Amino acid sequence: MIRTSTRNDEALFAPLSSRRVAYTTVVAFLAWTLAVYDQITFGNLLPVIGDDFSWSSSTRSYVATAVSAGSVLIALTVGPVIDRLGRRPALLITTSGAAISSGLAALAIGPISLVLTRALSGFGAAEQSVNAAYLNEIYGSRRKGLMYAMVQAGWPVGVMLSAGLAAVLEPVVGWRGVFAVATFPLLVILLLRTGLRESPHFLKVRRLRELQSAGASSEAGTLARGWGIEQPGAGRVTYAQLLRGRLLRPTLVLCLAFFVKLIADSQLTVLATTVLRDVKGVSITNALWMVVVANLVAIAGYLALGHLGDRIGRRETIILAQCAAAACTAWLIFAAHGAASVVIGYSATLFFAQGAAAPLFTYLGEVFPTRVRGSGAALVGAVGPLGGIVGPLLYGGLQDVGWTATAAAGSGVVACAVAAALMFGSPRVRPGANLEAGA
């Protein structure tokens, strides 16, 4: 007779205590902040690294593109790990990978070694995919958007931390030292994560897989219905499961929407100082200060839009935020004049554009069922950054064919609006619905 449920299982599958949830939230926030810090630091230090190795401008561009592509491939490996081994092991793997990437980057001897080591930063980038699965499953249904927004706000915090520490440390310890220093906080997070508990949702799916592997399909079906969880297959977890049946449409729509969204976002994050200088005539020094101020405002955007998603639904919040981002971007590029207007326009743009990430990744955890929740978030999270590569190329390419810098930056307005339109093709999840209700 196959064991399906015991009294011990009730404790094993019980929701995490409020203390456990708070601890997990703090660890996830710190880990995501440091993962972002690690990612952004490479971009901040690339000019210094290029000078040290005497690279041409084209070599620097090739290295940056190769690192971005390599990190996407690495991030894709994490999805099946989240759904097969568990949320907690995936968290440990992503943090370890980010720490190894920083440590090895400090030893790079040329472009190839730097690309190979920095490609491992894809583990850090996959951090938000793990969080999308894990945190969705441990938070209550009513306030999960606001709770997740607190963690996702680690992005602007990590950006500011990277800019500040790189400016302070690089003159003292050099770019290699900056990467070496980045390793130690990640190791601390790795130790903190050993105290995390596995998601009860994943433990239920693992029990169902065990029963199916043992030939107890009927018992597994009974448990799955009782738990309100889709019965998983007993075979390997692959991305192919996302590309068939009813999951095909949301997978394609969300991948494309996030890809287009990051085309716009990258032009005002990766190319922030360049766009502000070329389009608005702002000096580099003033542009850097504007970036800091706007990222502080973006933190409020994460919290406000995360809370709004709890009230009216994530999909609706994302659509409204992207439309508002399009309007703010248009005003910034075509209408804002003077330092005060530019700061307000840029801050408002980041408030909506970056803040939309909070409801978006909460939404990913709701749309995909427990059996492929990590894989779904990982696939969308990996495809999106390809838009971050296209955005700067589009901005530069349009100018190469004769467009003005202002007109080229206007492509970001179009991308914001297209991303909003694409979200109408994704399913609606009722606010407060339990997981799998909208899957």
Side-chain angles (χ1 to χ4, degrees):
M1 183 71 177
I2 300 295
R3 179 175 62 89
T4 59
S5 182
T6 68
R7 180 169 295 183
N8 289 336
D9 289 342
E10 295 179 6
L12 183 66
F13 300 140
L16 272 61
S17 67
S18 57
R19 172 178 278 184
R20 283 276 187 180
V21 170
Y23 178 80
T24 303
T25 299
V26 171
V27 174
F29 170 78
L30 292 174
W32 177 230
T33 299
L34 292 171
V36 172
Y37 164 78
D38 175 67
Q39 294 175 60
I40 300 299
T41 294
F42 172 70
N44 288 338
L45 293 178
L46 185 57
V48 180
I49 297 171
D51 290 342
D52 190 27
F53 287 121
S54 299
W55 290 342
S56 65
S57 296
S58 59
T59 299
R60 298 180 199 198
S61 297
Y62 293 145
V63 168
T65 302
V67 167
S68 297
S71 63
V72 167
L73 293 176
I74 293 295
L76 282 171
T77 67
V78 175
V81 172
I82 303 172
D83 292 322
R84 193 67 196 182
L85 298 184
R87 301 4 176 173
R88 183 176 175 275
L91 288 169
L92 298 175
I93 290 170
T94 54
T95 304
S96 300
I100 291 171
S101 177
S102 290
L104 292 180
L107 305 175
I109 59 175
I112 295 177
S113 60
L114 187 64
V115 168
L116 292 176
T117 57
R118 291 308 300 164
L120 296 176
S121 66
F123 284 115
E127 181 82 30
Q128 65 179 345
S129 302
V130 183
N131 286 342
Y134 188 33
L135 299 180
N136 261 287
E137 293 173 353
I138 68 169
Y139 289 155
S141 59
R142 294 191 177 277
R143 297 181 60 197
K144 73 165 64 174
L146 179 60
M147 294 291 290
Y148 187 82
M150 295 178 185
V151 174
Q152 193 69 12
W155 174 271
V157 175
V159 170
M160 291 186 290
L161 185 65
S162 172
L165 290 184
V168 172
L169 294 176
E170 194 278 326
V172 179
V173 299
W175 65 267
R176 296 181 187 274
V178 175
F179 279 124
V181 168
T183 303
F184 295 104
L186 287 165
L187 292 176
V188 172
I189 297 300
L190 188 60
L191 291 175
L192 291 174
R193 283 194 155 164
T194 59
L196 299 178
R197 183 185 150 189
E198 184 56 88
S199 157
H201 275 73
F202 173 76
L203 294 176
K204 291 176 180 178
V205 167
R206 187 168 67 184
R207 171 61 57 81
L208 296 177
R209 287 197 180 106
E210 290 171 352
L211 290 170
Q212 288 183 309
S213 297
S217 297
S218 60
E219 289 88 342
T222 300
L223 268 183
R225 286 189 294 274
W227 285 333
I229 290 180
E230 252 188 42
Q231 193 164 338
R236 292 190 309 150
V237 177
T238 67
Y239 286 114
Q241 298 174 71
L242 299 170
L243 301 175
R244 56 175 177 253
R246 61 181 181 74
L247 293 179
L248 175 61
R249 179 178 175 180
T251 298
L252 295 180
V253 167
L254 290 168
C255 283
L256 186 57
F258 194 38
F259 171 83
V260 175
K261 170 180 168 54
L262 288 196
I263 290 178
D265 290 0
S266 63
Q267 293 181 0
L268 290 175
T269 52
V270 177
L271 292 182
T273 54
T274 300
V275 172
L276 290 173
R277 180 196 63 192
D278 295 348
V279 177
K280 309 310 300 181
V282 178
S283 70
I284 292 296
T285 300
N286 288 338
L288 288 171
W289 281 111
M290 289 180 180
V291 169
V292 172
V293 171
N295 275 279
L296 286 172
V297 174
I299 295 175
Y302 281 101
L303 299 178
L305 295 177
H307 176 64
L308 183 62
D310 287 331
R311 307 285 300 196
I312 68 172
R314 323 294 174 201
R315 187 191 70 160
E316 291 69 24
T317 300
I318 298 164
I319 292 170
L320 290 174
Q322 286 301 126
C323 289
C328 291
T329 303
W331 185 76
L332 169 66
I333 293 172
F334 300 110
H337 301 289
S341 294
V342 172
V343 169
I344 292 172
Y346 184 49
S347 298
T349 298
L350 292 196
F351 179 95
F352 291 107
Q354 287 196 21
L360 174 61
F361 276 87
T362 309
Y363 178 71
L364 295 181
E366 294 175 331
V367 168
F368 296 107
T370 306
R371 62 185 176 85
V372 290
R373 182 165 291 125
S375 297
L379 182 60
V380 175
V383 170
L386 296 176
I389 299 174
V390 172
L393 293 176
L394 180 63
Y395 176 74
L398 291 175
Q399 292 181 74
D400 288 341
V401 298
W403 289 38
T404 65
T406 301
S411 62
V413 179
V414 177
C416 282
V418 170
L422 286 168
M423 286 301 300
F424 281 103
S426 60
R428 183 176 190 272
V429 178
R430 181 174 53 82
N434 293 324
L435 289 183
E436 309 243 351

